[in-house]
Each structure stands twice: as structure tokens, then as C-alpha cells.
Amino acid sequence: MSEPLVELRGVTKTFRARRTRVTALHEATFTVRRGDVFGLLGANGAGKTTAMRCLLGLSRIDGGELRVFGRAHPNRRELFGRAAHLPEEPQMFAGASGRETLVYHGRLCGLDARTLTRRVGETIEQVGLVEAADRPVGGYSKGMKQRLGIAAAILSEPEIIFLDEPTRGLDPIGRRQVRDLLAALAERGVTLFLNSHLLGEIERLCNRVAILVRGEVRAEGSLADLLTAKAGLFVRFALPDGVDPAMFPGAEHADGGLWKLAVTDTAALAELAGRIAVAGGRVVAAQTERVDLEDFFLQVVRAAEEEK
């Protein structure tokens, strides 16, 4: 098993709001290992950005244990020598060109002149901005700015990149370009940590996820394992006109005018098939279906709400 780069163990973070305290993270626990493409999911206000800020040393935790690169309190120089951060909306000088922006960023990172020249050229090509590299950033589309932000993040060849909502607000073409770029980075072994509530993007990119609900981690692990564990046996069936589908609690509309209902095992399947036959209907199919990330996310959130 690869080494952990990021670890949270029972981390709590609260903020003062007027005369009360608001809990942004409550005993949050998750691990990101080298080579992971890790997605931290949650609705707005779930605590995603707070968790990232704590990992980047921008906010202090109130309780629990937090480790980055195996150290409880990595100093800023070490942290940003080995990690990079791409905020949701990277701020850039509108009058500077893309190339000038990268040179400026590389100097802040402490790259020597020879390395800087080489890396600027490499990253411009890598993110597909060769033709726009010497144009002012103010004329870039949002997708181009996001790709330039990724170029700045990978300039110093970090071990892990923290990305906050990397495809939010982009059109379909821009989302695809950024997603392909991140997938290429992952193939090269760069560890990615993504904050997002865009579940389709996360499902396409990530191999591991954690789901935050009101600051609590309610699910964490391999995306494939989590979704397979929630797979179920579903029966698709037809009912004659005039039969009230309320006779089958939990049944949902399915394609082709059919109904769909989950059953726990083959005994339940046989019992359901008998009730369908009595109602004059017929079973069309019975098969195991893997839930998608959106369904799984909603199940986790609903379960948390029911515990309130």
C-alpha cells in the first residue's frame, strides 16, 4: 500500500459567528495516499474548503490530528515546496501574458533561471496554451484561465495538488479540457485532492472519495468499493392500466413505462413476483445494478438527515 500524504484523524474546527460558535468540521477522518485522485464531496457549507484550508496550514484545527507528508505541523516552506494549491477562481494580472504569469509564479516558487525557462515551456505545452501564451490573460476565457492556473500549480512539479472546484462554472468544452488535463497528471503519478460538489466530474476522475455532511465524514474509501457495496437487486415490472402502483411501496418509474423496485434477496424477489402476478402484471427483468455516485451521495445525505 502506498504511503499516506494527507491524514485527518478526528479533526474538529469551529468558527465564532456573532455570539455562537459554528462547527465546520466535526471529528473528520480520511486519508489520501500517494497516487490517489481523491475527491472530497459535500454540499455548499459542508466543510470542504475548511478542510482544505486546514491541510494547507491556512486555518488551525481545534482538535484531533492532522498530518501532511507525515508531519503534524509542516512549515510553509516545506509544504509549498512539495504541494500546490489551485483556488476556485485563480487571481491573475489581466495585463500580463500567460507566459509572464508563469515566470512570475515560478520566481515565487524559487525556481532557478534555467529550470524556470524549461518548466514554463513544458507546462504551456502540457496545458494546451501554446498559441495563447503571449496574449494578455485578460482576454482568456474562464477555461483558459483555469488551465493557466493548473500550469502554475504544476510548474514546480509538486507531489500533490489541492484543487478547489476545478471545473465549476466552465462550459462543457472547458470541463472536458480540464478533466483530461487532470487525468493526464494522475497518469503521471501526481496525487490530486479535489474539493467539489459536481458529482459527475468526481466519478469520472477519482479513485477514492470522502463525503462530508455538516462537517462530518459520513463515507470514505475506494469509489468502486463504495458504489459496489450499495449495488442492489432491482426488479423491473409492468402493471396493467388501472392498477395503483402504490400497492408496491418504493416503486419508481423506469424506462419504457415500467416500474422498478429494489429487493434484498431472491426470497424477496419471489414474493414480489407473486404480488405482481396477482395484480395482473408481469416481471420484465431482475438484475443487479451498480448505483452511481449521485445516488450514493443522496443515500448518505438522507441517512444523515434521518439521524438528526
Side-chain angles (χ1 to χ4, degrees):
M1 183 177 293
S2 58
E3 66 176 305
L5 295 186
V6 168
E7 296 177 274
L8 270 71
R9 292 287 176 267
V11 167
T12 297
K13 175 65 181 177
T14 60
F15 293 99
R16 186 175 296 280
R18 297 184 179 179
R19 297 182 180 180
T20 63
R21 296 195 70 84
V22 176
T23 300
L25 294 174
H26 178 66
E27 298 183 358
T29 297
F30 59 78
T31 300
V32 181
R33 296 186 177 276
R34 187 177 297 279
D36 277 348
V37 181
F38 183 89
L40 185 60
L41 313 180
N44 291 332
K48 304 187 303 296
T49 299
T50 297
M52 183 175 284
R53 287 181 59 83
C54 290
L55 289 168
L56 292 168
L58 302 176
S59 290
R60 291 183 178 274
I61 63 175
D62 298 324
E65 181 182 7
L66 180 154
R67 303 181 73 85
V68 182
F69 300 122
R71 297 185 57 178
H73 302 287
N75 61 54
R76 294 283 181 86
R77 183 177 296 275
E78 178 189 11
L79 179 60
F80 287 102
R82 301 175 64 184
H85 174 223
L86 179 66
E88 183 178 339
E89 295 185 5
Q91 300 300 308
M92 304 169 186
F93 296 112
S97 69
R99 190 183 308 275
E100 290 168 339
T101 299
L102 293 178
V103 169
Y104 175 74
H105 186 85
R107 287 174 177 166
L108 289 177
C109 292
L111 299 182
D112 62 75
R114 179 175 295 181
T115 302
L116 180 57
T117 300
R118 174 178 60 83
R119 288 297 297 151
V120 167
E122 289 174 349
T123 55
I124 285 173
E125 184 172 356
Q126 198 172 342
V127 302
L129 289 176
V130 174
E131 295 183 0
D134 297 305
R135 286 164 35 195
V137 172
Y140 282 17
S141 68
K142 186 167 184 178
M144 292 169 68
K145 289 178 181 177
Q146 199 73 347
R147 283 187 281 150
L148 181 61
I150 293 174
I154 65 177
L155 196 62
S156 60
E157 299 181 282
E159 298 172 47
I160 182 170
I161 304 176
F162 295 89
L163 304 106
D164 201 353
E165 300 285 2
T167 61
R168 183 178 181 181
L170 300 182
D171 61 27
I173 294 174
R175 286 200 303 273
R176 179 63 179 267
Q177 290 172 335
V178 170
R179 188 170 66 242
D180 288 349
L181 178 55
L182 295 179
L185 291 173
E187 288 179 2
R188 291 171 47 208
V190 179
T191 303
L192 303 177
F193 182 111
L194 287 73
N195 273 0
S196 185
H197 64 264
L198 300 178
L199 304 181
E201 299 298 309
I202 291 295
E203 188 165 10
R204 290 183 179 96
L205 279 169
C206 294
N207 68 311
R208 293 182 59 81
V209 299
I211 297 177
L212 275 173
V213 182
R214 297 190 305 277
E216 296 184 26
V217 176
R218 304 296 304 221
E220 188 230 354
S222 158
L223 183 58
D225 289 346
L226 291 173
L227 298 187
T228 301
K230 287 292 184 179
L233 180 61
F234 287 86
V235 177
R236 294 174 183 269
F237 58 97
L239 292 174
D241 293 341
V243 174
D244 186 357
M247 294 172 57
F248 304 91
E252 301 176 353
H253 283 288
D255 295 338
L258 301 177
W259 294 89
K260 182 174 77 170
L261 187 61
V263 294
T264 55
D265 51 35
T266 54
L269 169 60
E271 188 274 335
L272 175 62
R275 288 195 289 124
I276 292 171
V278 168
R282 60 187 176 87
V283 173
V284 176
Q287 61 192 94
T288 300
E289 294 184 5
R290 175 181 180 271
V291 299
D292 62 19
L293 182 57
E294 180 178 351
D295 288 336
F296 178 70
F297 177 82
L298 291 174
Q299 289 174 18
V300 171
V301 171
R302 287 168 183 159
E305 293 295 331
E306 289 171 1
E307 293 177 11
K308 289 177 61 177

